[in-house]
Each structure stands twice: as C-alpha cells, then as structure tokens.
Amino acid sequence: DTEVTQTPKHLVMGMTNKKSLKCEQHMGHRAMYWYKQKAKKPPELMFVYSYEKLSINESVPSRFSPECPNSSLLNLHLHALQPEDSALYLCASSQDVPDQPQHFGDGTRLSIL
Amino acid sequence: GESVGLHLPTLSVQEGDNSIINCAYSNSASDYFIWYKQESGKGPQFIIDIRSNMDKRQGQRVTVLLNKTVKHLSLQIAATQPGDSAVYFCAENIGGGSYIPTFGRGTSLIVHP
C-alpha cells in the first residue's frame, strides 16, 4: 500500500464540469508535487509546493489550479478541461531537501469527454 | 533482447535470468540518481538510489551502477521474476541542492515464465 493516498482513483468529466483531485500524506514531508502522465511516457512535472507555498509552476494552463490547505493535503482543481487533458495525474511527496526520493500515490485516471 | 524505437523501449527476459536496464542521463552536474518501478495501474515506486560520490550500490536483488564519465546509469536485477515486469524509470537530480528529479523516458521490462 502506498503512503500517499489519492482520490478519486478514476474520474470522468465533461469539458464544462468543475472537479477536484485530492492527495494526502502523513509522512511529515514538506514538498508535494503534481505530475501528469500520458500512456507510455514518464511523469511530467506540473506543480511543486514547498512548505505549503507554490514554488514551481511548469507553465501549466490556468484550467488547472493547485491548492495546499496544509502540510498533509494537496488538491488540484479542474475546470473547463480539454480532451487532451485526459491522463493519469500523480501526486508525490518528499523531504524538502536534496537527495531524497519521492513517494508517489497511485494516481487519478482522468478522462475528459 | 532490447528494442528501442518510437515506442517505449522494451526488454524481454526469461524468468530467472539477470536483467540490465540502461539509462543515459543528460546533465553532468547531476549528483543524485533514483530508479523507480511503475506497475500497470500504479504510481512509480522507489527501488534504489545512488549519489554521485559512489559508482555502485546494492539492494535486495538489485544493483545500480553509475558511470559519470559517460553519464550512464544501469539497474541490474538478479534472478528476474514475473513480478518484476513493469516500466522502469531512471531520474536525476540536477546539482546545486535540487530536490526535484528529471525523469528519463522509461524501459518496459517483460519477464516470461
């Protein structure tokens, strides 16, 4: 079982819907990440939070809006997504120091109709 | 054998054989390297890591070798089992205190019983 929990596991939504992805970890990690992964590709970094503050936004469209309510929780709010946004969305956490591996959740499989 | 092309590189082995998965990294300033295993429907899982002041590190049935001269990393899996079938990603942390890895493109390992 993964120590990073993501909900929901699957999500199907229309292009006009608003939904949120959730991620939770209780390892005391102070860095949390959102990645997008297409089939047969490596994870692509979207956002990084460090000590609950957004530190990196990899030029992600504004229809994706991250939020870090506290050190254990990370949300990704979705609005007006496009079919090409269909992918696996992975959350990860790590110690906010160099030379530490990331711990990944099992992702949310998102399908945009 | 190994095939590399437009699709995900694939390595097919027989159960019980040793597997070697290779990775070329891009930045000579990278100082920390991680191997992840991603099974179908799951997030990447940490396997083993190595710092740039080492050239070899061993875990349980896995060994990582680092050749900084040619910027090459390999993962050796001893006595490969069907449960080892997955996609394997190498990741590098760019030096200078970064804690955000850059993922390589991945290799699909298929173990035949």
Side-chain angles (χ1 to χ4, degrees), chain A:
Chain A
D1 286 340
T2 181
E3 296 167 308
V4 176
T5 304
Q6 290 188 243
T7 55
K9 293 190 185 305
H10 302 276
L11 180 61
V12 179
M13 56 187 288
M15 289 190 284
T16 58
N17 292 157
K18 285 186 180 181
K19 296 285 185 183
S20 297
L21 309 185
K22 298 187 181 301
C23 176
E24 188 170 2
Q25 58 89 15
H26 294 287
M27 294 177 282
H29 290 169
R30 303 312 297 267
M32 295 187 75
Y33 312 74
W34 280 114
Y35 285 87
K36 174 183 178 180
Q37 187 178 30
K38 291 284 213 181
K40 301 189 187 301
K41 297 290 187 182
E44 297 173 28
L45 185 66
M46 299 174 72
F47 302 105
V48 181
Y49 273 83
S50 174
Y51 288 84
E52 296 138 60
K53 296 202 183 315
L54 183 65
S55 61
I56 292 178
N57 176 341
E58 290 286 318
S59 303
V60 180
S62 60
R63 56 186 185 269
F64 295 91
S65 176
E67 178 196 17
C68 190
N70 60 56
S71 61
S72 300
L73 295 175
L74 187 65
N75 299 323
L76 186 62
H77 303 297
L78 313 173
H79 174 55
L81 294 195
Q82 303 297 310
E84 61 265 26
D85 297 323
S86 297
L88 181 68
Y89 288 84
L90 292 163
C91 173
S93 70
S94 73
Q95 303 279 8
D96 188 9
V97 292
D99 299 0
Q100 294 294 325
Q102 293 174 312
H103 295 249
F104 283 84
D106 285 338
T108 294
R109 176 72 60 188
L110 177 65
S111 298
I112 307 300
L113 301 178

Side-chain angles (χ1 to χ4, degrees), chain B residues 91-111:
Chain B
E92 60 184 298
N93 275 28
I94 310 299
S98 171
Y99 56 88
I100 300 168
T102 300
F103 281 81
R105 67 174 175 162
T107 296
S108 176
L109 176 66
I110 299 172
V111 183

